[in-house]
Amino acid sequence: MDNNFDVIVIGGGPGGYVCAIRAAQLGLKTACVESRGTLGGTCLNVGCIPSKSLLNMSESYHKAHKEFQSQGIEFSDLKLNLDKMMSSKNKSVQTLTKGIEFLFKKNKVTYLKGKGVLFSENDVVVYEGEKKTSYKSKNIVLATGSAPSSLPGIEIDEQNIVSSTGALEFKEVPKNFAVIGGGVIGLEMGSVWSRLGSNVTVLEYLDHITPGMDKEVSSEFLKILTKQGIKFKLSSKVTAVTNKGNQVEVSFENNQTSQKEVLLVDKVLVAVGRKPYTEGLNLNKLGIKKDPQGRIEVNEKLQSSIKNIYAIGDIIKGPMLAHKAEEEGIAVAEIIAGQAGHVNYNTIPGVIYTSPEVAVIGKTEEELKKENINYKVGKFPFLANSRAKVNNEPDGFVKILAESKTDRVLGVHMIGPHTGDLIAEMGLAMEFGASAEDIARTCHAHPTYTEAVKEAALAIDKRAIHF
Ligand code: FAD
Ligand code: NAD
């Protein structure tokens, strides 16, 4: 095999594999190095895909348990077969990761199995066991992703004290389950195990969950999850997590009142954020600059401090999201090919796949206030949406923020059924620079959840019809 490439991508996650496919589509001779043994990165192997599979199946179980009887769907002997549920999740992961291998073949991307290490600005060495192979490339794209963070003194053993990876693999439903961190992972995984029967307690350092989110959505979210049975200990500082035989003792204190408490649980999930993963790449030797958070510094063309070495995804600034990594992967491939690759960071949606879902895009009300931007608010509750009503999903609302003078949509914040899908329309609207009036004048099919979006746009000028 000829070991010279136009582009070598290190890391086969959503950033890396998408970049490699796009580069190959553009006629560049491309290779992608991945050390995990399967493609798809964190997202497909231990992140987005297995967590969404468990969220979906646990919701079906929960509905069968709690809602079906009242809808006249009667049965006896409903049982959870966790082994089967896990196999189904693993099968989905396998199908999707194999699918990327197929896409690589179809697009003529060379898949290099092993750990990629930089030796110069054009040299990559791939280590696979004892085997060491050298490659040359005109351009290198770093896409090595992220790893779970922990807290001082807490050792994640993936048995009883777990990261998200361990929480996707429990062999039985923990009777008592503590989650440290009321962010995205904590609330998604907390929801999964709560629906399957765990007594879940979330310990969050701040006085609110999901930091950075529009405050109104965040407090509604807290109310809904509490109603579902998840317990929250806010303003809680965890001071120790200790294995006690088959159980774990979690000590924490209220950071406002200093009141101390102890929880004895079967499993603890540490979900306090993730950190960029650049270990073993040799960045220091090459002089590639990192910021104080350990992220590779890049310019607007996603070039690192060495011009032909680019970085994308979780190892650079911005939200740690698969679709953000993908957009950057495409942009870098196009930039390398001489095109005008570009990422619009103002229109990257964020979705939390709980029930109901939370979906956000653009500025929050808090950000607009801080930036002294005058804005109008249009809000519509799902309680008044006919589809949500007949489907017994009345919780949540759609909130649109539009610039006062121009009516241009600046942010949309939703909590409610299928909002993870509804947010796409808002992304498109914002990409086109739409006004709230544009959305209000767009015909939305009846009866659909999308009508809540139209009504929120109408509510900007106090003319919502159904509320
Ligand atoms: P990664 O996906 O982390 O991929 C990097 C790859 O590089 C890895 O496979 C790693 O093995 C490989 N690698 C590292 N170093 C080397 C090396 N030296 N040589 C070769 N290979 C190397 N995001 C969403 O948008 N939606 C979700 O629903 C969602 N759910 C999530 C759920 C969980 C539980 C977790 C943990 C994350 C979730 N995320 C979600 C975040 C998402 O997974 C990441 O943002 C995304 O995977 C980042 O993509 P990436 O390509 O930058 O890195
Ligand atoms: P996060 O940043 O979403 O949440 C971490 C939470 O832990 C925060 O609420 C924070 O205040 C809290 N925290 C921090 N230190 C603490 C302490 N000492 N004690 C108690 N609480 C503490 O991080 P995460 O949930 O670990 O997720 C990591 C990344 O993965 C996120 O950036 C997210 O974007 C990505 N992810 C995305 C999805 C999705 O898109 N649906 C799903 C899972 C993960």
Side-chain angles (χ1 to χ4, degrees), residues 127-297:
Y127 294 88
E128 193 194 8
E130 300 291 295
K131 209 171 113 202
K132 173 184 167 189
T133 318
S134 302
Y135 298 90
K136 280 211 171 289
S137 186
K138 290 181 192 143
N139 301 281
I140 295 168
V141 182
L142 305 177
T144 49
S146 62
S149 298
S150 188
L151 295 171
I154 299 182
E155 204 176 313
I156 293 174
D157 56 22
E158 299 297 9
Q159 297 300 317
N160 288 346
I161 306 170
V162 300
S163 72
S164 50
T165 305
L168 292 164
E169 295 290 342
F170 292 156
K171 300 269 182 294
E172 50 192 64
V173 178
K175 196 157 176 273
N176 293 300
F177 182 36
V179 173
I180 307 177
V184 195
I185 291 182
L187 301 177
E188 286 189 349
M189 294 316 299
S191 291
V192 165
W193 293 107
S194 166
R195 291 167 190 169
L196 297 180
S198 285
N199 172 25
V200 177
T201 308
V202 176
L203 306 167
E204 166 58 49
Y205 187 81
L206 300 173
D207 63 359
H208 58 277
I209 57 169
T210 54
M213 184 176 282
D214 189 277
K215 280 273 163 61
E216 215 178 340
V217 174
S218 165
S219 12
E220 181 76 6
F221 194 23
L222 178 65
K223 254 191 254 161
I224 293 172
L225 292 175
T226 305
K227 206 167 72 183
Q228 289 174 3
I230 297 181
K231 296 185 191 72
F232 287 89
K233 296 276 182 186
L234 301 179
S235 305
S236 288
K237 182 181 170 189
V238 174
T239 49
V241 175
T242 324
N243 269 308
K244 295 266 168 187
N246 274 342
Q247 291 192 301
V248 189
E249 193 179 82
V250 184
S251 309
F252 58 101
E253 68 179 49
N254 188 296
N255 59 29
Q256 286 168 7
T257 62
S258 295
Q259 193 191 330
K260 292 181 170 44
E261 278 184 71
V262 175
L263 275 180
L264 192 62
V265 296
D266 304 288
K267 303 275 180 194
V268 181
L269 164 63
V270 183
V272 294
R274 292 176 62 84
K275 53 182 186 227
Y277 180 81
T278 55
E279 253 172 64
L281 276 176
N282 235 357
L283 298 185
N284 287 347
K285 191 175 163 234
L286 266 77
I288 293 178
K289 287 198 191 122
K290 290 200 264 180
D291 68 15
Q293 285 91 45
R295 301 173 299 193
I296 296 177
E297 283 184 8

Side-chain angles (χ1 to χ4, degrees), residues 22-38:
R22 183 72 189 118
Q25 281 177 350
L26 290 163
L28 298 163
K29 192 179 167 212
T30 306
C32 181
V33 192
E34 172 55 60
S35 56
R36 187 187 290 274
T38 51

Side-chain angles (χ1 to χ4, degrees), residues 10-17 33-36 38 40-49 51-52 114-117 143-146 164-165 168 185 188-189 274 277 279-281 312-315 319-325 351 353:
I10 304 183
Y17 85 74
V33 192
E34 172 55 60
S35 56
R36 187 187 290 274
T38 51
T42 302
C43 177
L44 270 67
N45 290 281
V46 290
C48 327
I49 296 303
S51 61
K52 265 80 263 181
K115 187 162 176 75
V117 180
T144 49
S146 62
S164 50
T165 305
L168 292 164
I185 291 182
E188 286 189 349
M189 294 316 299
R274 292 176 62 84
Y277 180 81
E279 253 172 64
L281 276 176
I312 56 173
D314 283 6
I315 47 166
M320 287 184 168
L321 295 172
H323 42 282
K324 177 257 193 189
V351 178
Y353 298 85

